Amino acid sequence: MDIEHLLTATRSARKSLDLDAPLDLGDIRDCLRIGLQAANGSNQQSWRWLVVTDPTLREKIAGLYRDAYLLRVGGQMVAELVPADTPGGRLMSSTEWLVENMAKVPLLVIPCYEPYLPRIDGDESFHQATLYGSIFPAVWNFQLALHTRGYGTCVTTLHLHHEDAVRELLGIPDSYVQGCLLPVGRLRHGKTFHPARRRPLEEVVAVNGWDGPTI
């Protein structure tokens, strides 16, 4: 796959996942190996990636995910309240499809990371940046590798509303932070992605200061 196309056309996959297509765990292993080549804080590699294939575990995690979603939206699904032919409507439909089908996604991945620097007063921003800066480069590498092999996924974080319950369910030590949840499946046959609409550089890039000229 052309590198520029890969970088600009790797999209969040939800409805485009084929829930019935079998996965090759050898492919997943290769994608994780590529993902873990990413830069991380001081090259500590203080991570543990949990690959969840057991149907009972997936169903329990999916239940927690659904509860968290309903908590965020006021207790009921809302996609049908948004015009389906609008960007917001399409996004909500895709989001709620995943809520309803998470348990059927054949594989869930939860990257965990153990903070390695001692905390000091007032370091919250530094701590968060160091922690997640050590997780998400590898997550993105993993997503890119999946795309080249005909798989898709998306970054989700709703399960973190029930982080302790997931921690207990999977035996995650208290010292580790869960970065996100990645539902992984093969892309539906013939599914292709294209670069998304993005705001132009002149609206989002400034040189030498917040109000500086664009590049």
Side-chain angles (χ1 to χ4, degrees), residues 23-210:
L23 275 69
D24 183 335
L25 288 180
D27 285 343
I28 304 304
R29 179 184 176 88
D30 284 344
C31 292
L32 287 167
R33 175 180 54 79
I34 292 169
L36 297 185
Q37 286 292 317
N40 60 98
S42 299
N43 197 30
Q44 292 293 305
Q45 303 175 61
S46 300
W47 41 37
R48 184 79 166 174
W49 292 63
L50 301 183
V51 178
V52 183
T53 61
D54 181 81
T56 300
L57 290 175
R58 288 189 284 115
E59 185 172 358
K60 289 180 179 179
I61 293 171
L64 294 170
Y65 187 88
R66 178 186 174 87
D67 288 346
Y69 180 76
L70 292 175
L71 174 68
R72 299 293 299 186
V73 298
Q76 62 180 0
M77 297 295 185
V78 298
E80 63 183 22
L81 305 178
V82 184
D85 58 348
T86 64
R90 288 189 290 271
L91 176 60
M92 291 306 301
S93 175
S94 177
T95 297
E96 294 194 348
W97 180 91
L98 184 61
V99 172
E100 297 287 14
N101 289 280
M102 179 71 81
K104 299 177 184 177
V105 178
L107 187 144
L108 307 178
V109 176
I110 300 178
C112 303
Y113 203 83
E114 185 175 40
Y116 61 92
L117 293 173
R119 298 296 304 273
I120 61 175
D121 290 342
D123 76 340
E124 187 62 28
S125 295
F126 171 82
H127 173 75
Q128 295 292 337
T130 301
L131 172 64
Y132 293 107
S134 295
I135 295 177
F136 282 100
V139 168
W140 181 233
N141 267 17
F142 178 56
Q143 290 181 272
L144 293 172
L146 287 172
H147 191 185
T148 67
R149 289 159 173 77
Y151 296 87
T153 187
C154 63
V155 173
T156 72
T157 55
L158 279 171
H159 82 288
L160 294 174
H161 281 288
H162 299 297
E163 181 178 10
D164 289 341
V166 176
R167 182 186 303 281
E168 181 177 357
L169 182 66
L170 300 178
I172 301 171
D174 290 341
S175 59
Y176 279 78
V177 173
Q178 301 168 53
C180 62
L181 169 65
L182 300 154
V184 178
R186 287 192 183 274
L187 294 172
R188 295 185 184 278
H189 180 70
K191 177 63 181 178
T192 58
F193 293 109
H194 304 282
R197 293 180 180 178
R198 289 291 186 260
R199 294 168 61 186
L201 289 182
E202 55 267 25
E203 290 186 10
V204 298
V205 178
V207 177
N208 294 331
W210 189 268

